Amino acid sequence: MKNWTKGRLMGAAIVIAMALPAAAQENISAVVIDGYPDRALWVKEFTNFFIPEVDRRLAEVGNYKMNWQENYGGSIVKPKGVLEGVQLGLGDIGIVTTIFHSSKLPSQGISGSTPFVASDARAVAKAVDEIAREYPAMQNEFSAQNQVYLATGVVLDTYQVFCSDTVTSVADLEGRKIAGAGLNLRYLEGIKDAAGVRGGLTDFYNMLQTGLVDCGMLWPEAAKTFKIAEVAPYMLRADLGAVNSKTITVNADYWAKLPGEVQDVLKAVAIDYRDHVAGIAMDRAAASRDAYVEAGGTIVELSAEDRAAWADAMPNVAQEWAATLNGNGEQGSEMLAAYLDKLQSAGFTGVRDWTAE
């Protein structure tokens, strides 16, 4: 009978451990889609921030590695097609531009329905995302589209009005054709004979250049990126408000197959991406306005009186928004009040009380 000493036992254990294969790192494919080009801020930062941060956190444990396949600029879907693309599984992860889907995603219109309140992208992103986690409406809407909600993003510091001819007041917008996307077209209803024309960000340059529209509602960073000063050299600084317009979602079938560790990392990084992109939007705001001027643009500040008059002339789109959600069995009125309370706590009070009937 062999007499195994402690040292010999340890040595045998080491030999056995070395003979066993190391736990294999699992590779997980992830197809990311957006119809916008990679020069768009939120797309660029998905590449530069979201993906490396997910990779870094997964590498800390070492169980999983993502194989990313990025598809932007219409290679799989157009800008308006991301929601359906993720629903159908054309992409595993998508950056959904929610303003294109007001009928399917009505709760996402909360910030767009409350103009003239907050022009800080960070405050709006945080408030909207908190509402999404405190009330079921937003997550329910994405679930109905076979998607899992991760986080809401705000990529614009605040909507402004860019025109091909001189503008100095709201009166100068009367009778003009103005491009917008989604809810912001409702802002024009209080302006005499102004006509809203629906379009996407990538269309605005051509719409302005060809005279299809006289003005467009977008934000300075986008104006710089898409060289809007060339076709609309007059900016009316109205500070209509920062608006959530991007949501990171995951195909529900794909999500159900992901390990819990990967799910947790994706959820955590989505929140960090939310704040990261909103911070960049604010950091770039002043520089983008300067770049607009350097490119030949002129900026005119809308007076406080004009802003208040414009807000008062609008229909109460916030109450309409809340009523729509209430009719869907959701807590629209409560969500509206909670959202505005969050912004007020962050230091932002609107020029009109949107909770008033």
Side-chain angles (χ1 to χ4, degrees), residues 36 79-80 82-83 95-111 128 138 141-142 149 151-153 181-183 198 243-249:
Y36 283 99
K80 296 180 183 180
V82 180
L83 183 70
I95 310 172
V96 178
T97 300
T98 54
I99 55 176
F100 293 135
H101 307 288
S102 57
S103 60
K104 293 179 179 179
L105 307 171
S107 68
Q108 283 284 318
I110 190 168
S111 63
V128 173
M138 291 188 189
E141 288 168 4
F142 280 107
Y149 171 100
T152 286
L183 274 168
R198 187 178 297 274
V243 175
N244 63 291
S245 59
K246 310 294 172 185
T247 298
I248 307 300
T249 70

Side-chain angles (χ1 to χ4, degrees), residues 228-241:
I228 296 298
E230 296 177 359
V231 291
Y234 301 95
M235 183 188 111
L236 186 63
R237 184 171 179 177
D239 286 344
L240 290 161

